[in-house]
Amino acid sequence: MTTAPDNAGIDPRSPRFGAAITTVLLALTIVLTLIPATWVVGIVLLAVIVVLFAIGGIAGIRRHPYGAIFRRFVRPRLAPPAELEAPEPPTFAQQVGLFVTAVALLLAMLGVPYAAPIGAAVALIAAFLNAVFDVCIGCLLYVWLVRAGVFRPRRSIA
């Protein structure tokens, strides 16, 4: 992970907390969209997940509702983080999640069979890796794209 100055960084445990919640919601989405009687409920849940990714990816990771829950209820019970991380990689990860889930939702609404559970499964794998193993696929992708010169970071990336 990358580090950022104290005034600009985020607690790295916050995105992991959000990833844990997202993992549960995506698993539920997969189950609901595989059962014909609950498909509509699963699609509505997928739409909610798309909106949550949009908030994190467009407004920024600091404005994500899970971050607010983490800051209010979880962080006060924890020791301060050893270091803070730059918000850009997790924000980019939210954008990747937005893309994957929005495409799955769109394809499902167009009638593509199994688009919703497959898209949710792809996003679930990334969320699970982040929540359980602290491996943020979107964050790694962000660093690789910066190093490849595809786009410039707002601050230096180690």
Side-chain angles (χ1 to χ4, degrees):
M1 291 295 149
T2 59
T3 58
D6 287 357
N7 62 351
I10 62 168
D11 187 327
R13 300 169 294 188
S14 180
R16 288 186 72 188
F17 171 78
I21 297 170
T22 302
T23 297
V24 172
L25 294 178
L26 287 165
L28 185 57
T29 300
I30 293 167
V31 171
L32 291 171
T33 57
L34 287 173
I35 300 170
T38 59
W39 185 84
V40 172
V41 176
I43 292 300
V44 169
L45 181 56
L46 183 58
V48 169
I49 293 167
V50 168
V51 169
L52 289 167
F53 275 130
I55 293 168
I58 296 169
I61 196 72
R62 288 187 177 116
R63 291 184 178 91
H64 197 287
Y66 298 158
I69 293 168
F70 178 83
R71 286 187 303 275
R72 173 76 169 101
F73 298 106
V74 180
R75 188 169 180 181
R77 291 168 172 72
L78 302 174
E83 60 184 19
L84 299 177
E85 76 176 352
E88 289 82 10
T91 298
F92 181 77
Q94 291 287 303
Q95 293 166 353
V96 173
L98 170 61
F99 177 78
V100 170
T101 55
V103 168
L105 180 62
L106 176 65
L107 291 175
M109 297 305 293
L110 292 174
V112 176
Y114 301 107
I118 290 170
V122 170
L124 178 123
I125 291 166
F128 178 82
L129 288 172
N130 191 1
V132 176
F133 300 108
D134 195 21
V135 175
C136 176
I137 302 299
C139 301
L140 294 173
L141 181 59
Y142 174 85
V143 172
W144 293 335
L145 290 171
V146 167
R147 288 182 180 162
V150 174
F151 54 83
R152 291 183 166 187
R154 291 187 189 152
R155 64 171 103 334
S156 64
I157 297 297

